[in-house]
Structure formats: C-alpha cells, structure tokens
Amino acid sequence: MRTKNLLSISVLLALQLFFLGCEKVDDPYPVNVGQSIPYQGTEYIIDTEFEIGNTTQLITFIDNNNWESLTSPNNSNQRFILLEEFTGQKCTFCPDGTREIIRLDTIFKEVLIPVAIHAGTFAEPQDPSSGKYTTDFRVDGGHSEDYLNQFNPGKAFPRGTVSRFDNGSVSGPAAWEGQINSLKSESPIASLTINNHYSPNQNAVRVQIDLEWLTNTTEEYNLQVYLAEDHIIDWQLDNGVAVPNYDHRHVLRKVVNGTWGKSIGQAIQGETISIQYITRVDADWKANDMESIAFIYKNDGYEVMQANAAYIYKP
Amino acid sequence: MSKKCHFWTLLFILFITSINANAQQFEEMMSRGQIKGNFQFESQFYREDTIIGAEEVPERIRSNSFLNLIYSNGGFSAGMRYESYLPPLLGYPEGYQGNGIMYRFASYQKDDLSITVGNFYEQFGTGLVLRTYEERGLGYDNALDGVRLKYKVYDGIRLTALTGRQRIFFDYGEGIVRGFDADINLNETFSDFFEGSKTRILLGGSAVSKYQADRNSQFVLPENVATFGGRASITRGRFNFYAEYAYKVNDPSADNEFIYKPGEALLLQGTYSQKGLGILVSAKRNDNMSFRSDRTEGEQNLLINYMPALTKQHTYNLLATLYPYATQLNGEVAFQADLIYKFDKGTILGGDRGMDIQVNYSTANNIDTTHLNDEFTFRQGYKSSYFSVGEVYFKDFNVQLTKRFSSKVKGIFTYANLVYNQDIIEGKPGAPTVYADIAIADITYRLDMRNALRGEFQHLSTEQDQGDWATLLVEYTYAPHWFIAIQDQYNYGNSEKEKQTLL
C-alpha cells in the first residue's frame, strides 16, 4: 500500500512539473496599447483602435497587410507653406477664398499646402429635414473650433493663416499671395518627407515622417499631422446661391496627433527624427482623394517652419 | 488540586519514566554513532610581476580552507562544511569572501526510502537537465539547499524528487529548482523476461523546472522554465550504447541574449572493451542549453545542468592549463574517439614488458545557425541544422605511449596537436586561433621500494598567442605519503622579449 501511495505521489509530482512547471511565452514583449513603439529607428504611434501594443503586434500588422506607398516632394531646399483656411458650407463668401486658393495652387504648386478647416457657426450642419448643408465637415475632437478660437477669434470668413505667420494671425484672400511669396523665400530649417503606406483592406494609413534638421536653433518645435480630403461634392452657399454639387477642396478630416501635435524639441543640425503614425481612414472618405499633411511649427508663436503633403492612395 | 494539575503531573511522571526506560537504549544507540571529517588548507604567497601581468596583491598571502564533518548513526547522518576564504586564492571567483557554513545537511535512510534536508548534490543522467556538484579546484559549487526524497518503488525502479535553491558563493540564488527523476533497470524490474539475457537495459526520465519571478519591464519572461530529459543505456557483452536527450522550453537569459528559442541537447556514446582494447566513440550536440536558476547570471554561477565536454581531460601542465577547452553552453557540436590498446609482452612493439597506447581525437564546433532577424518580434534568434556544423572551436589529436623499460624505469610519452579558438573559448574578439604541437616525456626512475625520481620534459610549439613554451618538472617521492616537486615554465618563444621569462 505504501509503495502504491508513493508511486501515486511521484506520478503527481512528475505531472506537476510537466504541466505547471513550464510556461511557453508566445509574445516576448509586454502589450501596452497606446504606447509609442520604437522600432528600427522609428517611433511608431498607433491609434488605440488597432489594439497594437508591442513590436510583435506591430510587425505582424505590417507584414500581414498589403501597403500601397506614396511619397511627398523633396523640400530640403525649399520652405513649403501651409495655408489653413477657415470656412463653412453656409459661409456665402467662403468660395471666394477657395477660388483664390485654387489660383495660388496653380502658381505655387507643391510649395503651397492648403487645408480647409470647417469651423464656427457657418460649419454647423442643418437638420436633415432641410435637405441641404446636412454634412458635418468639422473634425472629430473639436480641433476645428480650437484652431478657430486660437487663430481667428474674430470669426471673420473667409480668412486664412499662412504658415501661422505672425502668431497665427489670419488675413483675407487678397493678402495670402504676398505672404506666401515672403515666407517661401526663406531657407528651410528642416527637410520633411512623408511616406504614406495605405492598406485598402484595413482602411489604414501609415504616415511615415522623416525629418532632418538643416540648422541649429534654440526654439522648441512641434510636429503636427493632418489628414485632408479633396473634392468632396456637397452643398455650399456660394455668394447667395445654394450650390448642391459644390467641389469642396482640401477639407481637414482628421487631426492625427492632437490639437497641438507632438513636441520634437530643438533643431540640431544633422539630427534626424523618424515618426510613423498609424491611423484609420474613415470608410466614408475617398482614399484616393486623401492626403496626409505634416508640418513643424514653433512652440512659441506657432509659425510653421516646414510642411509637406502626400496623397495616401492612388490605385 | 485541579484536574488540570493532575494532568500535567501525570504527563511529567510518564515523561520521566519514559526517559529512564529509554536511557539505556539511547546510550547504546549513541555509542554507534561515528564522526568523520577532513580538513584542507591551501595558502599562496604572491609577488607582483609586471612582465606577466601579475598585479600586486595587497594581502600578499591568500588562503582557502575547508573542514568537513559528517556524523552518521544507522540510517541517520548529518554533516557540514566550514569554508574560509581570507581572501580567496587568485583565480577563484571573487564572490567567495569570508567564512561560513554554506553546506549542512541531515539525512535519514530506511529501507528503500531516503530523505535529505539541507544541502545536497544530485545528478540526473549525465547532467543534461540537472547536475549539482562541487569542483573545489575551480571554485565551483552549485549545491541545492532544500529537500530531496529518493525511493525505490519496485525492483529496478528508483525515483528522486527534489526542490531547493542553489548556492552562489555565500548566498543562495533567487530561483527555486524543482526536479523529478525516474530510473528503471528493465533487467531488475522484468527479471523473469530478462533472465539469462546478456542484454542490460537502463532507462531514465527527468523533469526539472525552475521558478524565478519576472521583474523585467522590457520582456514578458517565463517565470517557470522546464527541461525534460530521457536516456537509455543498452549493454550487450562488450558493447555499450548510451543515448540521452534533453529539451528545454523557452528560457530567455543573459546567456542567450534573451531569446525565446527552446533548447535541446543530444548525447550519444558507444563503447567497446575487451582485454587490452578499449574503444569509445561519442557525439554531442547542444543548442541553447544554458539553464540557470537565475536568468541574469553568467560565468559558472547557478548552473542547474551540465554539458559534458567531449574532450580529453589532460593532466600535464602545458596541455592542461594553457589551452583547455570549455563547453560552450549556447551551442556546440562535439565528437570524440578514444582508443586504448595494450601491446602484449613479446610482440614487436610490446617488447619484454608490453606497451600501452592511447589515441584520442576530439573536435568541437559551433552549431550552424541562420539568424532570423526577429529580435523585435518573437525573438527566436536563429534556426540551426542538425546536419551541419559551424566554425571550429577546438580540436585535439593526441597519442600517449606508456612503456616500462626496466623494473626501475618507466616512461610516458605524449604528443598532442591542438586547434584552439581563443576568440570564442576565452572571449577575446579578434584573437587568432592557436595551432599548437605539444610533446611530453614523463620518466620515472624508481630508486628502491620507497624512493623514486620523476622528471617531466614538456614542450609546446605555436606561432600564435604567446609562442613557444617549455616546462621542466622534477619530483622526488618518498612512498607512500610524501613527495616534493619543483617545476619551471619558460615562455622562451614569446614575441615580446621581456616576457621570455622563467615562471
């Protein structure tokens, strides 16, 4: 009997070691959704909805999807200009601003990066029963209103801020060309490149931003990333006429990294920064008309010192 | 008097009566007890020598001392070892500092059951999954402190279960080791079936698990890591075949740079022996098999298992000390062949008194690995093939002749050719591989039954490392307990003239 008992105990001990004394770890890295992930020299900042919390999941996500890639122009010798225009679908004179932007676009081409920020009362959608102006073009998160309050507190339309020059103060369309000409003649303090990788099946874009400082400064800078959609056909009040098939240009759709972006410190000549944002492109947005916009601005004074844009998808 | 007082009075009377009744038995039992022990004291005096890089030792004198005491009485035994390092001899791990008792145990054995508490040494199979032992000359001691049970369940079936923490200098490692081993001698267990059989079969199986808490923020570490092993020994007539395999689940550690690849080891050995002839052929492959009870430790600290080296353990100074091989725990493929043959008297080579020859060849290579470039994902590290080998770590071809020329003169003549990868074995990146030829003549002249003189003449020739060496040793023996020896080493081939010194 004693032998039998001891044999049973021994077998139990052995089984314990087999089944309890052993742990197989499938993923070596702690999962912490929301953390930024450093990988091969790039800092990955990923929307939490992807539930990616470590390098294993990140690389699996990248490897398991097909990505179409598009690159921005080279701006290592040219300061690119951001024009943030405040507008609204019920703003009757705003299309005049848009027409001016289209004109400037033909002049400055890739150097000019326009963004239409729908904000204020003119941007508030009407009740669906009205049959027009029902689309809400304001971005989620209230960022449009934040920008309006900061840069256009007088709520005058159409107004725009050219590279947030002069503490981001806005001006009317007539002043934009002169300001662009003035700013674009200055040497860039950094080159900023965007490489967009878009996955149609995931409706996701990986916005890779590579920045190289071209000079030394003691200023602190922030990096800001937007998604904008071009050619949205919808209602617009245009000089008193309600136009149902108006072509809305460069509409700000998403502020990817918070209202004021990410701090990137001071400019140190020769140093590089690589950041990749992985974010969702809404299924209702036309991916082939979407572009990502990235710019760096002075923490103190808001002036945008370099910018760039790239389409995310061209099937 | 209360009832309570009555109870205590009664208990006291019973106790006294019991003592009186058992005093004689107790005295008799104690008289059977035995105490055994031994004492060792080793001391060295140091002098600074800038030429050979021997730094000044502030204490001038260092010493190691050991006292073992074991009391045994019937099935009971208890013992301890007092150790003193004031401070440790140079070359010893510096972790040994001071005095103390780090080895003490009590053990009881009755019939087929044995229980040990305290410190103990244990080995499962050849040690691929567990071996704790003391190698005092190297300052190695990974004794377990815990509990061990051994039990013979049935004829030929022996079980061992243990748990404990391992010694590291004057402390214990953080991890807890748990182990289980079963040995089955089929000839004993199934004696009817094997009756009269010339074949003897021994089987064994082991499981060892360690626990260490995960406090690492960078990785998710397995807190419980297990190693499993199986072994078989088949003997028939003059042949023996032994095979042992061990598998370790993911065990990221400082040794393997925190990869999660499983480890495995395979040992195969075949022997043949008859009068005057012995042949041994063995092969071993171990891949990521470092297994310690503290994943952050290195060197020889807190190793749970043991990878036997398939190389000859030389004893002669120049062969044993300058380029000795150390098993590479992270990966190694090794082979060894050993032939011992005795030329009988009256043969051409045997002459009047016969002659022994021993030929040995061993190699050790890295395993052949392909990097997986997955350090940011699954951290498997690499993959490796069983059927190819990587760079050479070590090669040793040696021949030894033992010849008695007369009743007074005996000679042992050794030649060895070594290939020694300094870069890997000594961890010297970029150091060239050493190719060395060593010749040794060991002559003993017996003056009479008590007195003998022995001389060793050794020469090592190499173009790498420190160049050529010669050693001369003269030894006088006064049998059976005393000998005195004087030895000198001369690095006359050193390319740096000032290092061509006599040691």
Side-chain angles (χ1 to χ4, degrees), chain A residues 2-3 6-7 10-11 13-14 17-18 20-30 38-40 55-56 59-60, chain B residues 151 153 159 161 178-180 207 209 217-226 228 249-250 260 375-379:
Chain A
R2 193 180 69 158
T3 299
L6 281 165
L7 188 61
S10 303
V11 170
L13 271 171
L17 283 173
F18 266 98
L20 302 177
C22 183
E23 293 163 12
K24 172 106 173 51
V25 176
D26 293 321
D27 189 344
Y29 289 96
Y39 173 60
Q40 292 189 336
T55 44
T56 312
I59 293 161
T60 303
Chain B
Y151 187 63
V153 179
L159 306 179
R178 296 75 55 98
F180 178 82
S209 169
S217 59
Q218 190 183 359
F219 302 119
V220 177
L221 297 172
E223 295 189 322
N224 291 287
V225 176
F228 307 103
V249 295
N250 49 193
Y260 287 66
E375 54 268 40
F376 295 102
T377 53
F378 302 107
R379 296 189 68 82

Side-chain angles (χ1 to χ4, degrees), chain B residues 287-489:
Chain B
D287 178 358
N288 190 28
M289 271 305 282
S290 156
F291 189 37
R292 301 176 194 262
S293 56
D294 185 336
R295 61 176 81 87
T296 62
E297 278 295 340
E299 298 181 335
Q300 56 187 11
N301 301 334
L302 296 173
L303 281 165
I304 298 171
N305 65 344
Y306 170 78
M307 293 291 120
L310 296 193
T311 51
K312 185 174 179 177
Q313 298 299 302
H314 294 288
T315 54
Y316 291 108
N317 171 265
L318 289 181
L319 253 177
T321 60
L322 283 181
Y323 303 118
Y325 182 64
T327 297
Q328 300 301 303
L329 301 176
N330 284 338
E332 178 189 282
V333 182
F335 299 96
Q336 179 173 225
D338 208 29
L339 169 77
I340 301 171
Y341 185 74
K342 183 177 183 64
F343 293 100
D344 288 336
K345 297 174 188 174
T347 59
I348 296 172
L349 290 172
D352 293 340
R353 297 172 187 273
M355 182 175 77
D356 295 334
I357 181 169
Q358 182 172 359
V359 182
N360 174 272
Y361 179 66
S362 60
T363 66
N365 287 59
N366 191 7
I367 53 174
D368 188 19
T369 60
T370 305
H371 187 61
L372 290 176
N373 196 26
D374 68 343
E375 54 268 40
F376 295 102
T377 53
F378 302 107
R379 296 189 68 82
Q380 293 295 298
Y382 60 89
K383 59 181 180 179
S384 62
S385 166
Y386 254 86
F387 302 102
S388 56
V389 298
E391 67 176 315
V392 173
Y393 284 165
F394 185 75
K395 285 183 183 180
D396 179 4
F397 171 74
N398 58 85
V399 182
Q400 190 169 77
L401 296 171
T402 304
K403 174 78 178 170
R404 186 175 290 282
F405 297 98
S406 69
S407 61
K408 290 182 179 295
V409 181
K410 178 187 170 188
I412 302 171
F413 304 94
T414 305
Y415 166 77
N417 176 271
L418 297 182
V419 178
Y420 179 85
N421 188 330
Q422 274 191 109
D423 181 343
I424 299 297
I425 301 168
E426 294 181 19
K428 292 180 177 172
T433 294
V434 175
Y435 300 86
D437 292 289
I438 299 115
I440 300 163
D442 176 350
I443 309 291
T444 302
Y445 183 78
R446 206 162 71 175
L447 301 167
D448 55 34
M449 290 298 284
R450 272 190 176 278
N451 300 284
L453 279 174
R454 189 171 75 87
E456 276 182 24
F457 309 91
Q458 304 183 32
H459 185 265
L460 182 147
S461 168
T462 180
E463 293 178 2
Q464 294 81 33
D465 198 27
Q466 300 171 90
D468 300 339
W469 286 82
T471 290
L472 175 66
L473 178 143
V474 179
E475 181 182 281
Y476 166 68
T477 302
Y478 180 73
H481 298 302
W482 298 94
F483 75 91
I484 184 168
I486 184 165
Q487 175 181 292
D488 191 50
Q489 251 181 292

Side-chain angles (χ1 to χ4, degrees), chain A residues 50 107 111 132 142 145 152 162-163 190 215 217 229-230 235 241 247 261 279 291 305 310 315:
Chain A
F50 293 104
I107 298 170
V111 173
K132 54 188 176 185
E145 301 305 315
N152 188 10
V162 177
S163 283
T215 186
T217 70
E229 184 180 0
D230 206 3
W235 287 91
V241 179
D247 185 1
T279 191
E291 56 187 345
M305 303 306 293

